[in-house]
Amino acid sequence: MKLMTALRSVAVASLFIAAPVLAQTAAPESANPPAADGKGRGGHHWHKGKRHGNKMARMEHRMDKAVAEGRLSQAQADQFKAEGRQLREEMKAQREASGGTLSDAQKDEMRSKMRAFREKVKSAMQANAPQKT
């Protein structure tokens, strides 16, 4: 009988201690309701809450991986990284100069430059790729 009373006392005491802690951790989650536009949580596992991520960092990571696999030389990768950063800075400068938005012609020009850059990187990787037998 004393054992049951002791167990109940421990259980009640642990609830008194745990309840404020549980309430405290649950409050921040309820403070951020899911987005109403249907683009809430979910998506791919590598995003982990970030919907777009850092495109430049992903590009650099892919180039580092290509160097490790022998599809690009380190010099080529460094050159491509610098060129990618330059394109990104050019786009930012154009956007700032035009007051935050680009005209359709500017958008098309930047898209074509980025497409050409990606094709250039892709063709360099394919040219240096080890041949499969």
Side-chain angles (χ1 to χ4, degrees):
M1 192 63 141
K2 289 182 181 184
L3 180 63
M4 289 299 282
T5 305
L7 287 175
R8 278 192 202 130
S9 298
V10 169
V12 170
S14 67
L15 285 175
F16 280 130
I17 293 170
V21 172
L22 292 175
Q24 198 174 33
T25 58
E29 290 181 43
S30 62
N32 297 329
D37 61 356
K39 295 181 181 177
R41 307 192 85 184
H44 300 290
H45 66 279
W46 60 81
H47 286 157
K48 296 284 183 189
K50 295 180 185 176
R51 290 205 332 237
H52 297 292
N54 186 348
K55 290 182 182 182
M56 190 56 110
R58 286 197 319 258
M59 179 196 68
E60 290 178 0
H61 176 72
R62 285 193 302 269
M63 286 187 196
D64 291 338
K65 186 176 176 184
V67 169
E69 292 172 353
R71 293 183 288 150
L72 275 181
S73 70
Q74 187 63 50
Q76 285 176 313
D78 292 340
Q79 178 186 359
F80 288 141
K81 287 177 188 180
E83 191 174 338
R85 285 188 200 108
Q86 182 181 1
L87 278 172
R88 185 76 177 148
E89 291 301 319
E90 182 182 333
M91 192 181 324
K92 282 183 183 179
Q94 275 189 357
R95 190 176 297 128
E96 288 173 4
S98 65
T101 57
L102 296 175
S103 68
D104 289 339
Q106 288 173 320
K107 285 181 186 178
D108 290 340
E109 179 186 353
M110 289 311 295
R111 280 189 194 119
S112 65
K113 284 183 180 180
M114 286 304 289
R115 252 186 234 118
F117 172 68
R118 283 193 298 267
E119 282 299 317
K120 185 174 162 184
V121 171
K122 186 176 177 180
S123 65
M125 283 187 194
Q126 288 175 347
N128 296 336
Q131 298 296 321
K132 292 184 180 180
T133 7

